[in-house]
mmCIF file of all heavy atoms in Angstrom:
data_model
loop_
_atom_site.group_PDB
_atom_site.id
_atom_site.type_symbol
_atom_site.label_atom_id
_atom_site.label_comp_id
_atom_site.label_asym_id
_atom_site.label_seq_id
_atom_site.Cartn_x
_atom_site.Cartn_y
_atom_site.Cartn_z
ATOM 1 N N TYR G 387 94.623 59.390 205.521
ATOM 2 C CA TYR G 387 95.772 59.164 204.651
ATOM 3 C C TYR G 387 96.956 60.010 205.110
ATOM 4 O O TYR G 387 96.776 61.102 205.651
ATOM 5 C CB TYR G 387 95.407 59.509 203.197
ATOM 6 C CG TYR G 387 96.424 59.027 202.201
ATOM 7 C CD1 TYR G 387 96.542 57.677 201.912
ATOM 8 C CD2 TYR G 387 97.263 59.921 201.541
ATOM 9 C CE1 TYR G 387 97.470 57.224 200.979
ATOM 10 C CE2 TYR G 387 98.202 59.474 200.610
ATOM 11 C CZ TYR G 387 98.296 58.130 200.330
ATOM 12 O OH TYR G 387 99.228 57.683 199.433
ATOM 13 N N ARG G 388 98.166 59.499 204.920
ATOM 14 C CA ARG G 388 99.360 60.142 205.492
ATOM 15 C C ARG G 388 99.565 61.581 205.022
ATOM 16 O O ARG G 388 100.111 62.403 205.752
ATOM 17 C CB ARG G 388 100.603 59.322 205.166
ATOM 18 C CG ARG G 388 100.878 59.133 203.681
ATOM 19 C CD ARG G 388 102.145 58.297 203.434
ATOM 20 N NE ARG G 388 102.412 58.098 202.023
ATOM 21 C CZ ARG G 388 102.003 57.060 201.325
ATOM 22 N NH1 ARG G 388 101.286 56.124 201.926
ATOM 23 N NH2 ARG G 388 102.293 56.945 200.041
ATOM 24 N N ASP G 389 99.114 61.913 203.805
ATOM 25 C CA ASP G 389 99.290 63.277 203.310
ATOM 26 C C ASP G 389 98.109 64.192 203.614
ATOM 27 O O ASP G 389 98.168 65.392 203.340
ATOM 28 C CB ASP G 389 99.527 63.260 201.781
ATOM 29 C CG ASP G 389 100.830 62.574 201.406
ATOM 30 O OD1 ASP G 389 101.750 62.577 202.247
ATOM 31 O OD2 ASP G 389 100.924 62.034 200.287
ATOM 32 N N ALA G 390 97.041 63.613 204.159
ATOM 33 C CA ALA G 390 95.833 64.406 204.440
ATOM 34 C C ALA G 390 95.983 65.118 205.782
ATOM 35 O O ALA G 390 96.836 64.761 206.604
ATOM 36 C CB ALA G 390 94.614 63.489 204.464
ATOM 37 N N PRO G 391 95.166 66.135 206.042
ATOM 38 C CA PRO G 391 95.138 66.729 207.374
ATOM 39 C C PRO G 391 94.795 65.667 208.407
ATOM 40 O O PRO G 391 94.182 64.635 208.079
ATOM 41 C CB PRO G 391 94.026 67.774 207.263
ATOM 42 C CG PRO G 391 93.866 68.048 205.815
ATOM 43 C CD PRO G 391 94.196 66.765 205.121
ATOM 44 N N PRO G 392 95.164 65.851 209.684
ATOM 45 C CA PRO G 392 94.820 64.869 210.721
ATOM 46 C C PRO G 392 93.328 64.572 210.698
ATOM 47 O O PRO G 392 92.499 65.473 210.830
ATOM 48 C CB PRO G 392 95.254 65.566 212.013
ATOM 49 C CG PRO G 392 96.359 66.490 211.601
ATOM 50 C CD PRO G 392 95.952 66.985 210.233
ATOM 51 N N SER G 393 92.983 63.317 210.510
ATOM 52 C CA SER G 393 91.582 62.959 210.284
ATOM 53 C C SER G 393 91.415 61.462 210.386
ATOM 54 O O SER G 393 92.385 60.713 210.579
ATOM 55 C CB SER G 393 91.133 63.434 208.882
ATOM 56 O OG SER G 393 91.990 62.893 207.881
ATOM 57 N N ILE G 394 90.172 61.014 210.254
ATOM 58 C CA ILE G 394 89.878 59.593 210.122
ATOM 59 C C ILE G 394 89.181 59.382 208.787
ATOM 60 O O ILE G 394 88.625 60.313 208.198
ATOM 61 C CB ILE G 394 89.011 59.052 211.270
ATOM 62 C CG1 ILE G 394 87.653 59.762 211.317
ATOM 63 C CG2 ILE G 394 89.740 59.183 212.600
ATOM 64 C CD1 ILE G 394 86.668 59.148 212.295
ATOM 65 N N ARG G 395 89.233 58.147 208.301
ATOM 66 C CA ARG G 395 88.630 57.832 207.007
ATOM 67 C C ARG G 395 87.885 56.501 207.162
ATOM 68 O O ARG G 395 88.511 55.465 207.393
ATOM 69 C CB ARG G 395 89.704 57.754 205.927
ATOM 70 C CG ARG G 395 89.195 57.454 204.539
ATOM 71 C CD ARG G 395 90.271 57.611 203.485
ATOM 72 N NE ARG G 395 91.467 56.822 203.748
ATOM 73 C CZ ARG G 395 92.328 56.440 202.816
ATOM 74 N NH1 ARG G 395 92.137 56.785 201.553
ATOM 75 N NH2 ARG G 395 93.398 55.735 203.130
ATOM 76 N N ILE G 396 86.587 56.542 207.033
ATOM 77 C CA ILE G 396 85.756 55.367 207.197
ATOM 78 C C ILE G 396 85.212 54.955 205.836
ATOM 79 O O ILE G 396 84.464 55.711 205.211
ATOM 80 C CB ILE G 396 84.596 55.636 208.179
ATOM 81 C CG1 ILE G 396 85.140 56.083 209.536
ATOM 82 C CG2 ILE G 396 83.709 54.399 208.326
ATOM 83 C CD1 ILE G 396 84.066 56.570 210.480
ATOM 84 N N TRP G 397 85.569 53.787 205.366
ATOM 85 C CA TRP G 397 85.077 53.320 204.081
ATOM 86 C C TRP G 397 83.611 52.938 204.203
ATOM 87 O O TRP G 397 83.219 52.131 205.045
ATOM 88 C CB TRP G 397 85.885 52.118 203.598
ATOM 89 C CG TRP G 397 85.453 51.639 202.241
ATOM 90 C CD1 TRP G 397 84.738 50.523 201.957
ATOM 91 C CD2 TRP G 397 85.697 52.290 200.980
ATOM 92 N NE1 TRP G 397 84.524 50.418 200.602
ATOM 93 C CE2 TRP G 397 85.102 51.491 199.972
ATOM 94 C CE3 TRP G 397 86.371 53.455 200.609
ATOM 95 C CZ2 TRP G 397 85.151 51.826 198.629
ATOM 96 C CZ3 TRP G 397 86.425 53.792 199.258
ATOM 97 C CH2 TRP G 397 85.821 52.983 198.285
ATOM 98 N N CYS G 398 82.785 53.540 203.365
ATOM 99 C CA CYS G 398 81.341 53.300 203.369
ATOM 100 C C CYS G 398 80.874 52.771 202.025
ATOM 101 O O CYS G 398 79.719 52.982 201.628
ATOM 102 C CB CYS G 398 80.599 54.583 203.730
ATOM 103 S SG CYS G 398 80.723 55.029 205.462
ATOM 104 N N GLY G 399 81.754 52.104 201.317
ATOM 105 C CA GLY G 399 81.395 51.519 200.036
ATOM 106 C C GLY G 399 80.330 50.441 200.183
ATOM 107 O O GLY G 399 79.910 50.074 201.284
ATOM 108 N N SER G 400 79.934 49.896 199.062
ATOM 109 C CA SER G 400 78.737 49.061 199.004
ATOM 110 C C SER G 400 78.869 47.730 199.727
ATOM 111 O O SER G 400 77.846 47.125 200.090
ATOM 112 C CB SER G 400 78.369 48.813 197.537
ATOM 113 O OG SER G 400 78.335 50.036 196.830
ATOM 114 N N THR G 401 80.062 47.244 199.954
ATOM 115 C CA THR G 401 80.224 45.960 200.654
ATOM 116 C C THR G 401 80.128 46.112 202.160
ATOM 117 O O THR G 401 80.019 45.124 202.875
ATOM 118 C CB THR G 401 81.567 45.298 200.290
ATOM 119 O OG1 THR G 401 82.634 46.200 200.636
ATOM 120 C CG2 THR G 401 81.634 44.964 198.811
ATOM 121 N N VAL G 402 80.215 47.345 202.653
ATOM 122 C CA VAL G 402 80.093 47.597 204.091
ATOM 123 C C VAL G 402 78.605 47.628 204.452
ATOM 124 O O VAL G 402 77.812 48.296 203.785
ATOM 125 C CB VAL G 402 80.764 48.928 204.480
ATOM 126 C CG1 VAL G 402 80.499 49.261 205.943
ATOM 127 C CG2 VAL G 402 82.265 48.859 204.204
ATOM 128 N N GLU G 403 78.223 46.910 205.511
ATOM 129 C CA GLU G 403 76.821 46.820 205.871
ATOM 130 C C GLU G 403 76.426 47.977 206.795
ATOM 131 O O GLU G 403 77.165 48.357 207.706
ATOM 132 C CB GLU G 403 76.543 45.483 206.527
ATOM 133 C CG GLU G 403 76.780 44.316 205.559
ATOM 134 C CD GLU G 403 76.317 42.989 206.086
ATOM 135 O OE1 GLU G 403 75.082 42.752 206.094
ATOM 136 O OE2 GLU G 403 77.172 42.183 206.464
ATOM 137 N N GLN G 404 75.238 48.521 206.550
ATOM 138 C CA GLN G 404 74.757 49.668 207.304
ATOM 139 C C GLN G 404 74.734 49.396 208.809
ATOM 140 O O GLN G 404 75.060 50.283 209.615
ATOM 141 C CB GLN G 404 73.351 50.060 206.817
ATOM 142 C CG GLN G 404 72.782 51.288 207.516
ATOM 143 C CD GLN G 404 71.415 51.675 206.971
ATOM 144 O OE1 GLN G 404 71.051 51.334 205.844
ATOM 145 N NE2 GLN G 404 70.629 52.385 207.769
ATOM 146 N N ALA G 405 74.360 48.184 209.201
ATOM 147 C CA ALA G 405 74.301 47.846 210.624
ATOM 148 C C ALA G 405 75.667 47.988 211.287
ATOM 149 O O ALA G 405 75.758 48.360 212.466
ATOM 150 C CB ALA G 405 73.770 46.429 210.804
ATOM 151 N N ASP G 406 76.723 47.713 210.548
ATOM 152 C CA ASP G 406 78.072 47.850 211.106
ATOM 153 C C ASP G 406 78.451 49.317 211.283
ATOM 154 O O ASP G 406 79.116 49.691 212.250
ATOM 155 C CB ASP G 406 79.091 47.135 210.217
ATOM 156 C CG ASP G 406 79.009 45.617 210.325
ATOM 157 O OD1 ASP G 406 78.555 45.131 211.378
ATOM 158 O OD2 ASP G 406 79.371 44.930 209.361
ATOM 159 N N VAL G 407 78.057 50.158 210.327
ATOM 160 C CA VAL G 407 78.309 51.593 210.464
ATOM 161 C C VAL G 407 77.529 52.140 211.651
ATOM 162 O O VAL G 407 78.058 52.924 212.456
ATOM 163 C CB VAL G 407 77.941 52.347 209.175
ATOM 164 C CG1 VAL G 407 78.283 53.836 209.314
ATOM 165 C CG2 VAL G 407 78.683 51.765 207.972
ATOM 166 N N GLU G 408 76.294 51.710 211.791
ATOM 167 C CA GLU G 408 75.469 52.163 212.921
ATOM 168 C C GLU G 408 76.077 51.726 214.245
ATOM 169 O O GLU G 408 76.101 52.502 215.222
ATOM 170 C CB GLU G 408 74.048 51.611 212.777
ATOM 171 C CG GLU G 408 73.278 52.227 211.613
ATOM 172 C CD GLU G 408 71.961 51.538 211.340
ATOM 173 O OE1 GLU G 408 71.779 50.384 211.789
ATOM 174 O OE2 GLU G 408 71.107 52.138 210.662
ATOM 175 N N ALA G 409 76.577 50.504 214.300
ATOM 176 C CA ALA G 409 77.183 50.008 215.541
ATOM 177 C C ALA G 409 78.482 50.728 215.865
ATOM 178 O O ALA G 409 78.866 50.845 217.035
ATOM 179 C CB ALA G 409 77.421 48.508 215.430
#
Side-chain angles (χ1 to χ4, degrees):
Y387 193 72
R388 59 180 180 267
D389 295 333
S393 56
I394 61 172
R395 181 171 55 157
I396 302 171
W397 182 254
C398 287
S400 310
T401 58
V402 174
E403 296 189 75
Q404 182 178 337
D406 287 334
V407 183
E408 291 171 341

